[in-house]
Amino acid sequence: MGDFLDNRAIGVFDSGLGGLTVVKQLMKVLPNENIIYFGDTGRVPYGSRSDTAIRRYAGQDVNFLLSNDVKLVVAACGTVSSVAPDVADGLPVPFVDVVQPAARVAAQSTRNGKIGVIGTAATIASGSFERAVHACNPEAQVVHNSCPLFVPLVESGWFDCNDPVVINTVERYLQPIIDAGVDTLILGCTHYPILSDAIASVMGEEVSLINIGIAAANTVANILDCHDIRGHHEHVKNHFFVSDTVRSFEQTASILLGENADFDVEHIDIEQY
Ligand code: DGL
């Protein structure tokens, strides 16, 4: 790290609260950086929408973060990273997606060369993770499945691995991946780590689950160093913004990030950006 300190916040966005799994990893890897987060809770889910809609939403999300003078933008959304990576074109600040870093980790960590990918319908249809894995390991065999009910389950607060509705849904989507004999499974949507207890219990402990937030947070740290834009706040205060009601987001964010996390949540009208 150089002597220069850049105390602007890191900007992070997702369709809803799933991107908080990336925020959680950023808080671990970069504990002295402030984060500005936008969760588009009024328009979630993105993953079942057209590419045109996803592109438009992603552009507005990035514009909102830039209007808050962030120093880097993280698309903490597998769907945006897969369908609208061009939202990064011409940005005045560095941009990190969640596909490339996770694909690299999966390609390096598989032992039997069989990698599973789960994500939203739009992510799986885009083939993004498959391409990114093959760019690192052309021999890898990739099997995938979309899991459209996972995001609504998580957004509704249904992620207890003892809940039969949760376990039955997870089993239904993961059976083809289990049958393919993968040893590594990319959770290709940032909502999915919230279901990781249920996913781990269905997949079995010999399968490694790749949390795309961990790989992305490490990439963010590297980029801050490369651009010499690390900051240092003694007391970190994060600002979260949502496009729907504040209250339920606040409650889930406290559960996900732990009671020591200091943040506030505000509502914004994303259509203005
Ligand atoms: N967290 C988003 C992702 O990573 C969820 C997508 C959605 O809103 O459907 O893909």
Side-chain angles (χ1 to χ4, degrees), residues 6-58:
D6 185 338
N7 274 334
R8 291 178 296 165
I10 296 170
V12 183
F13 74 94
D14 179 42
S15 58
L17 54 82
L20 292 178
T21 61
V22 180
V23 169
K24 186 172 181 172
Q25 300 306 326
L26 284 169
M27 287 166 66
K28 279 189 196 156
V29 177
L30 297 163
N32 297 105
E33 299 282 350
N34 277 350
I35 295 170
I36 293 181
Y37 180 84
F38 173 62
D40 199 357
T41 50
R43 302 191 295 196
V44 68
Y46 283 7
S48 48
R49 295 183 193 271
S50 67
D51 289 7
T52 312
I54 295 166
R55 280 214 176 78
R56 186 169 82 80
Y57 293 172

Side-chain angles (χ1 to χ4, degrees), residues 8-152:
R8 291 178 296 165
I10 296 170
V12 183
F13 74 94
D14 179 42
S15 58
L17 54 82
L20 292 178
T21 61
V22 180
V23 169
K24 186 172 181 172
Q25 300 306 326
L26 284 169
M27 287 166 66
K28 279 189 196 156
V29 177
L30 297 163
N32 297 105
E33 299 282 350
N34 277 350
I35 295 170
I36 293 181
Y37 180 84
F38 173 62
D40 199 357
T41 50
R43 302 191 295 196
V44 68
Y46 283 7
S48 48
R49 295 183 193 271
S50 67
D51 289 7
T52 312
I54 295 166
R55 280 214 176 78
R56 186 169 82 80
Y57 293 172
Q60 290 177 315
D61 301 345
V62 169
N63 286 344
F64 167 71
L65 292 175
L66 292 178
S67 75
N68 281 279
D69 193 29
V70 296
K71 61 182 170 184
L72 180 147
V73 170
V74 185
C77 176
T79 305
V80 168
S81 301
S82 298
V83 172
D86 45 338
V87 76
D89 294 351
L91 285 191
V93 295
F95 177 87
V96 174
D97 71 84
V98 288
V99 170
Q100 308 300 330
R104 268 195 300 275
V105 172
Q108 283 158 8
S109 69
T110 181
R111 297 167 309 281
N112 71 2
K114 293 181 185 170
I115 297 172
V117 181
I118 51 173
T120 66
T123 295
I124 297 305
S126 77
S128 59
F129 280 100
E130 201 161 356
R131 273 195 305 282
V133 166
H134 283 149
C136 304
N137 179 355
E139 307 297 317
Q141 189 186 327
V142 180
V143 283
H144 46 69
N145 205 9
S146 60
C147 310
L149 290 179
F150 281 8
V151 169

Side-chain angles (χ1 to χ4, degrees), residues 240-273:
F240 299 162
F241 297 86
V242 290
S243 51
D244 199 2
T245 50
V246 164
R247 183 117 185 83
S248 61
F249 188 89
E250 233 165 26
Q251 283 166 345
T252 318
S254 298
I255 296 170
L256 291 182
L257 301 178
E259 53 191 32
N260 290 334
D262 191 0
F263 63 85
D264 53 31
V265 187
E266 203 178 304
H267 174 266
I268 58 142
D269 178 5
I270 191 64
E271 288 296 355
Q272 290 181 357
Y273 293 88

